[in-house]
Amino acid sequence: MVGQSPLEPGESRAAVLLEPFVHQVGGHMSMLQYDEHTVCKPLVSQELSFYESLPLAMRQFTPQYKGIVSVHLKRDSLGNLALLASPCLQAESCGRQESAAGDTSVTMRHRHRRAAGSDCTVLKWSHTQLTKTFRDSCPGKRLLRTDLQYCTDPLLEDKNGNQPERKTHNPWGLHCHQQQLSRLSKHNENKLHQFLLLENVVSKYSYPCILDLKMGTRQHGDDASEEKKARHIRKCQQSTSASLGVRLCGMQVYQADTGHFLCKDKYYGRKLSAEGFRQTLRQFLCNGNQLRTELLEPIVLRLKALLSVIRKQSSYRFYSSSLLIIYDGQEHKESTAALGNHLHFPRTNCTPPQGTQHSRVDVRMIDFAHTTFKGSKCNHTTYDGPDQGYIFGLENLIKILQSLSEGK
């Protein structure tokens, strides 16, 4: 539950205007930024059930659940759309973090128009007043906002079906946001929609490098229709989900040599062979100048810790959930200085000097709309033992990363 400072008698808390979360690299539901440390997403009862019953051992590997907030769509006289969260409507379970509860009078306008002579939709917002919290947030966030243009699916492909090596922005979150606004605009403007409040797991990073991996050999939930089930089975069979138990769902990597983010989307991930997936993992750890080999050990150690936890979770099935691997694209000053003369080592053999400090990394499980477990309020089927498909994917992921650390 999010902490909320008490209100004086007669005082009402201002609605919080939600921003698109610019570091969303995968998924189909739009993630929105509530404050610097909190994001929100449409509430799905099965996902809420998971967070409410979360085993203690798994909490370090999932975003912190902070409660529920009511959201409604607001349209001004010019037709601009905005999503507003109303903490006061569910004060017992939500509220803004005290650290960011100062000025909430942000005005953001979402304008949709067709770019002249282009098939791309352009999304713009103007801030007439921007809070200090958002103004002073990570440089990578501002960088990703330098170009708010996104095209039809697949988002990152050119007319020849190729994905450019470098982009100045990650368009996926804005694509999801446009779709969500379109869905919500069909409802009455006063209709309230329930959203989950969750920890922003990348808020501590200046230039968040994020790998979004769809885990497991099965992606459809127990409640999937026969048509949807067949579609998901086909996607798994035609991708690394079947052969490795894991496939790329999205990625952004800060490139120190260009000052831009390199981005890949789920359509790119579906086309990868096992070797292509391995090379993409290598690419995720490359900053344009060198391979960040000092990240491999802490990532592998955290993945092994997660694997140990998953093996002990009987009856859980994490269908269609994702795993985020995160690190900061901005190296620590100590590491940068130590590596000063090693920036152009061959990427296959690059090893950091002795004494270099490990950069901060994180591993988090997300997206539990189709997760099932014994005792779940939305339980459809009860399974025995741990999720072997998820374990298969984790084991292969660890093996690939270990082979990279050995220069194979």
Side-chain angles (χ1 to χ4, degrees):
M1 183 165 64
V2 177
Q4 181 174 3
S5 56
L7 298 177
E8 296 296 328
E11 180 186 0
S12 62
R13 181 169 295 278
V16 177
L17 205 149
L18 303 175
E19 292 189 310
F21 182 57
V22 295
H23 294 300
Q24 179 177 353
V25 302
H28 66 278
M29 282 191 176
S30 175
M31 299 294 296
L32 299 168
Q33 184 147 342
Y34 183 78
D35 64 31
E36 183 181 3
H37 302 287
T38 311
V39 295
C40 59
K41 63 184 295 190
L43 186 153
V44 176
S45 57
Q46 198 158 337
E47 185 164 33
L48 175 61
S49 177
F50 171 81
Y51 278 113
E52 290 180 335
S53 308
L54 186 62
L56 183 61
M58 291 188 64
R59 291 183 184 176
Q60 64 171 312
F61 296 106
T62 59
Q64 178 191 358
Y65 166 59
K66 299 186 174 187
I68 300 170
V69 69
S70 295
V71 174
H72 70 280
L73 191 70
K74 183 70 175 177
R75 188 190 305 269
D76 67 15
S77 59
L78 298 177
N80 299 317
L81 300 175
L83 288 174
L84 300 174
S86 304
C88 57
L89 295 175
Q90 294 214 6
E92 76 283 354
S93 63
C94 64
R96 230 180 156 174
Q97 288 204 351
E98 293 183 20
S99 61
D103 180 9
T104 59
S105 56
V106 186
T107 299
M108 179 174 67
R109 295 172 183 169
H110 299 77
R111 294 182 178 179
H112 299 269
R113 64 178 176 84
R114 284 286 173 186
S118 170
D119 290 329
C120 298
T121 301
V122 177
L123 174 66
K124 287 188 175 181
W125 61 69
S126 61
H127 298 251
T128 59
Q129 193 173 20
L130 192 61
T131 64
K132 185 176 186 299
T133 296
F134 293 130
R135 185 175 61 244
D136 295 343
S137 59
C138 71
K141 180 176 175 181
R142 293 195 294 272
L143 175 63
L144 282 164
R145 281 183 176 156
T146 57
D147 185 348
L148 301 182
Q149 183 168 284
Y150 55 92
C151 304
T152 55
D153 296 343
L155 297 179
L156 300 179
E157 290 186 355
D158 59 22
K159 62 182 179 181
N160 297 319
N162 300 315
Q163 293 202 347
E165 283 299 299
R166 291 181 173 85
K167 303 287 284 188
T168 58
H169 66 292
N170 190 334
W172 190 259
L174 295 170
H175 161 73
C176 294
H177 185 63
Q178 181 204 31
Q179 290 188 323
Q180 181 160 286
L181 282 178
S182 177
R183 286 193 297 267
L184 295 181
S185 65
K186 298 175 183 178
H187 296 280
N188 185 293
E189 191 171 299
N190 296 320
K191 179 178 174 61
L192 294 178
H193 306 270
Q194 300 297 291
F195 277 56
L196 289 177
L197 289 170
L198 300 169
E199 173 191 4
N200 175 5
V201 297
V202 305
S203 63
K204 60 187 176 183
Y205 300 100
S206 298
Y207 294 89
C209 297
I210 307 168
L211 186 67
D212 186 327
L213 301 171
K214 189 74 74 175
M215 300 299 296
T217 53
R218 168 181 159 175
Q219 301 303 328
H220 61 277
D222 291 330
D223 58 342
S225 65
E226 288 302 314
E227 186 274 333
K228 186 174 183 179
K229 178 180 176 180
R231 187 170 69 248
H232 280 283
I233 290 174
R234 186 167 58 252
K235 288 178 184 177
C236 288
Q237 291 173 339
Q238 295 173 348
S239 69
T240 56
S241 289
S243 59
L244 297 176
V246 54
R247 77 169 181 259
L248 178 76
C249 196
M251 182 176 86
Q252 71 177 40
V253 191
Y254 181 67
Q255 302 292 279
D257 59 337
T258 64
H260 292 162
F261 279 90
L262 179 152
C263 301
K264 301 293 182 182
D265 63 19
K266 67 179 182 181
Y267 301 103
Y268 176 87
R270 288 179 191 171
K271 298 176 183 177
L272 293 174
S273 63
E275 177 58 25
F277 178 79
R278 182 180 181 278
Q279 291 302 323
T280 302
L281 286 187
R282 173 184 289 277
Q283 193 173 47
F284 173 65
L285 295 167
C286 182
N287 66 5
N289 292 321
Q290 65 171 357
L291 192 67
R292 296 284 301 278
T293 50
E294 80 278 10
L295 300 172
L296 284 164
E297 182 181 358
I299 290 175
V300 168
L301 286 175
R302 189 148 171 81
L303 287 173
K304 285 182 175 180
L306 173 60
L307 178 58
S308 177
V309 169
I310 296 296
R311 283 174 171 160
K312 298 173 183 176
Q313 304 309 314
S314 181
S315 84
Y316 278 82
R317 294 295 180 271
F318 302 100
Y319 299 137
S320 198
S321 72
S322 285
L323 186 68
L324 299 183
I325 300 178
I326 311 162
Y327 70 89
D328 202 332
Q330 183 178 57
E331 297 180 71
H332 296 304
K333 292 181 179 179
E334 295 86 350
S335 298
T336 303
L339 292 170
N341 297 322
H342 301 263
L343 291 180
H344 299 287
F345 269 34
R347 294 178 182 177
T348 54
N349 299 313
C350 181
T351 303
Q354 293 296 318
T356 300
Q357 295 184 3
H358 286 322
S359 297
R360 184 169 50 189
V361 303
D362 204 355
V363 170
R364 301 291 187 104
M365 300 173 69
I366 61 168
D367 296 340
F368 305 102
H370 300 288
T371 292
T372 183
F373 56 96
K374 186 177 181 180
S376 169
K377 298 176 184 176
C378 309
N379 188 46
H380 298 279
T381 306
T382 300
Y383 298 90
D384 293 323
D387 189 333
Q388 294 298 334
Y390 200 104
I391 290 172
F392 177 64
L394 272 179
E395 289 176 337
N396 282 317
L397 182 58
I398 290 169
K399 288 177 184 176
I400 294 171
L401 290 170
Q402 286 177 326
S403 73
L404 291 177
S405 68
E406 296 165 1
K408 296 179 181 178

